[in-house]
Amino acid sequence: MCVAGKSSTKRKILELGESLLQRLGYNGFSYHHIAQELGIKNAAIHYHFPTKEALGIEIVQRTRTRFTKWVNHPENRVKPVRQQFDWFINSYSYNLKSQHRVCLIGSLATDYYTLPPSMQSVINELTDEIQKWMARLLDHGRQSGVVDFQGSSQDKAVCILSSLTGSLQLARLLGDDFFYRNIKQIYLDLNFTY
Amino acid sequence: MCVAGKSSTKRKILELGESLLQRLGYNGFSYHHIAQELGIKNAAIHYHFPTKEALGIEIVQRTRTRFTKWVNHPENRVKPVRQQFDWFINSYSYNLKSQHRVCLIGSLATDYYTLPPSMQSVINELTDEIQKWMARLLDHGRQSGVVDFQGSSQDKAVCILSSLTGSLQLARLLGDDFFYRNIKQIYLDLNFTY
DNA sequence: GTCTATACCTTGATAGAC
DNA sequence: GTCTATCAAGGTATAGAC
């Protein structure tokens, strides 16, 4: 037992599960993958997560908690738009560098209609939260003259989030450069003043 | 037997397989799905496609053939840039309208590391061909003054392809409007002169 | 070309000992 | 918390009759 948070094993399962989910897809990884890599048995995982669904939900909620915490942290809320934007972009670059993971949302989106409804719900909420945050950030940036672009902030946010999701996936087929080209173009099209 | 092309059943399997692949992912559909929906038995599918890998490859190659044929057709090659671009965009809209399919490439990209190497190859080739075509189209469009954008044609192509791939997926979570907002923004950012 | 029957494997999940 | 043992279900694939 671990008083302050999850037991070591539980945390390891969550982290590896997240990695596998992003590397192989929800239907592409199994408890066996986890068991083998952690040197434990199938049943041990079921002790921490009774069902695969339960594991999946906690993986998503963990990501959401991380995002919400960062975004709402007083220190970060007052950061320049550029810095907040960079932080978000970097989280995608991190995925690319970590064995070419695709983003959690994209991974679950392609498997969406094979997922239990409970998982569909949590991934919806996460995505909605990110979308709204990005639209607000762009709007704020434009009003303060830091960025410039055509159209509504929401449409621009949609476009950027989509291309981040997609480029992480296509980079698997066409090479890392595909992702970095996309990033470059995104920054170019935002006309940052500094 | 069917002299001019595939037997009726084989074609039905291919079409349904493509649909299932784009709706449920490569690891999310099985021969049982196909058998049930077509009212045939498991073994009948194996007669036409000895392995799932063989089926997957032919689905991808069919898509590639369709693309190559359209793009290289003399009639289409001389079409205005705008019309060629619209055709491509519409093929994505069609996926959205067809039970929220994601694009074939995006679907296989998330499952990429669980796929047999032979499938990885064909999907790579398809994607590369599309990417190059799009870059050429944008380049041609800019030189003839039909579109205007910042940066290289290749980077812009990467950005557009990525966002199309991603928005089709995220529209499953956040609604069809997500996809259409992306389309709107893409056109806006290209500054078509007509 | 399609069927029945079946082999074999992987998967998610449970029971009960330690 | 972790193990052994086991299960039922579902997956791909094959053999052979029709």
Side-chain angles (χ1 to χ4, degrees):
Chain A
M1 244 273 277
C2 186
V3 188
K6 285 113 182 173
S7 77
S8 173
T9 301
K10 184 164 187 179
R11 196 169 23 79
K12 279 183 195 160
I13 294 172
L14 274 171
E15 273 162 20
L16 182 55
E18 183 177 334
S19 167
L20 288 167
L21 186 48
Q22 295 180 245
R23 279 192 291 133
L24 308 177
Y26 187 77
N27 298 313
F29 85 95
S30 70
Y31 274 36
H32 185 65
H33 282 110
I34 301 176
Q36 210 165 18
E37 193 148 332
L38 294 187
I40 57 179
K41 295 298 171 185
N42 195 337
I45 308 171
H46 276 285
Y47 169 79
H48 295 285
F49 302 97
T51 65
K52 194 180 180 182
E53 177 178 356
L55 172 58
I57 290 177
E58 204 154 323
I59 289 173
V60 176
Q61 283 182 331
R62 204 161 141 269
T63 298
R64 186 176 177 191
T65 302
R66 273 200 306 257
F67 177 78
T68 308
K69 260 197 181 154
W70 196 94
V71 158
N72 290 328
H73 192 84
E75 190 184 314
N76 295 324
R77 291 185 72 121
V78 297
K79 279 197 171 122
V81 169
R82 172 66 186 252
Q83 270 183 44
Q84 292 187 55
F85 192 81
D86 286 349
W87 164 78
F88 188 74
I89 296 290
N90 283 340
S91 71
Y92 282 78
S93 306
Y94 173 77
N95 281 327
L96 185 80
K97 286 174 202 145
S98 304
Q99 306 146 304
H100 291 87
R101 298 188 197 188
V102 297
C103 76
L104 188 63
I105 295 171
S107 172
L108 291 173
T110 51
D111 291 335
Y112 196 70
Y113 296 121
T114 70
L115 299 177
S118 58
M119 285 200 64
Q120 296 182 344
S121 293
V122 291
I123 194 70
N124 285 355
E125 289 161 15
L126 168 64
T127 311
D128 193 52
E129 192 176 335
I130 292 177
Q131 179 204 21
K132 282 176 178 153
W133 170 80
M134 174 63 82
R136 256 183 286 125
L137 185 70
L138 291 178
D139 203 50
H140 177 214
R142 178 155 61 178
Q143 278 177 27
S144 55
V146 178
V147 296
D148 184 41
F149 54 88
Q150 303 185 70
S152 77
S153 304
Q154 202 185 336
D155 292 359
K156 191 68 185 174
V158 159
C159 197
I160 291 173
L161 288 176
S162 296
S163 71
L164 285 170
T165 301
S167 65
L168 221 36
Q169 294 171 14
L170 300 184
R172 286 180 168 181
L173 321 187
L174 300 182
D176 291 5
D177 205 39
F178 194 94
F179 175 78
Y180 291 115
R181 280 178 181 275
N182 181 45
I183 300 296
K184 195 170 124 197
Q185 189 68 35
I186 288 175
Y187 275 100
L188 193 61
D189 285 344
L190 280 177
N191 301 292
F192 275 100
T193 53
Y194 66 94
Chain B
M1 241 276 276
C2 185
V3 188
K6 285 111 180 174
S7 77
S8 172
T9 301
K10 184 163 187 178
R11 195 168 23 80
K12 278 183 198 160
I13 295 172
L14 274 170
E15 274 162 21
L16 181 55
E18 184 178 333
S19 168
L20 288 167
L21 186 48
Q22 294 180 247
R23 279 192 290 135
L24 309 177
Y26 187 77
N27 297 314
F29 85 95
S30 70
Y31 273 36
H32 186 64
H33 283 109
I34 301 176
Q36 212 164 16
E37 193 148 333
L38 294 187
I40 56 178
K41 295 297 170 185
N42 196 337
I45 308 171
H46 277 284
Y47 168 78
H48 295 285
F49 302 97
T51 65
K52 195 179 180 183
E53 177 178 356
L55 172 58
I57 290 177
E58 205 155 322
I59 288 173
V60 176
Q61 283 182 330
R62 205 161 139 270
T63 298
R64 187 177 177 191
T65 302
R66 272 199 307 257
F67 177 79
T68 308
K69 262 197 181 155
W70 196 95
V71 158
N72 289 329
H73 192 84
E75 188 185 316
N76 296 323
R77 291 186 71 123
V78 297
K79 279 197 172 120
V81 170
R82 173 66 187 250
Q83 270 183 43
Q84 292 187 57
F85 192 80
D86 285 350
W87 164 77
F88 189 74
I89 297 288
N90 284 340
S91 71
Y92 282 78
S93 307
Y94 173 77
N95 282 326
L96 186 79
K97 287 175 201 145
S98 305
Q99 308 146 304
H100 291 86
R101 299 188 195 186
V102 297
C103 77
L104 188 63
I105 295 171
S107 172
L108 291 173
T110 51
D111 291 334
Y112 196 70
Y113 296 120
T114 71
L115 299 177
S118 58
M119 284 199 64
Q120 296 181 343
S121 294
V122 291
I123 194 70
N124 285 356
E125 290 162 15
L126 168 64
T127 311
D128 193 52
E129 192 176 334
I130 292 177
Q131 179 204 21
K132 283 176 177 153
W133 170 80
M134 174 64 81
R136 257 183 286 123
L137 185 70
L138 291 177
D139 204 48
H140 177 216
R142 178 155 62 178
Q143 277 177 27
S144 55
V146 178
V147 295
D148 185 41
F149 54 88
Q150 303 184 74
S152 76
S153 304
Q154 202 185 336
D155 292 358
K156 192 67 185 173
V158 160
C159 198
I160 290 173
L161 288 176
S162 296
S163 69
L164 285 171
T165 301
S167 65
L168 222 36
Q169 295 171 13
L170 300 185
R172 286 180 169 182
L173 321 188
L174 300 182
D176 290 5
D177 205 40
F178 194 94
F179 175 79
Y180 291 115
R181 280 178 181 277
N182 182 44
I183 301 296
K184 194 170 125 197
Q185 189 68 35
I186 287 175
Y187 276 99
L188 193 61
D189 285 343
L190 280 177
N191 302 291
F192 275 99
T193 52
Y194 67 93

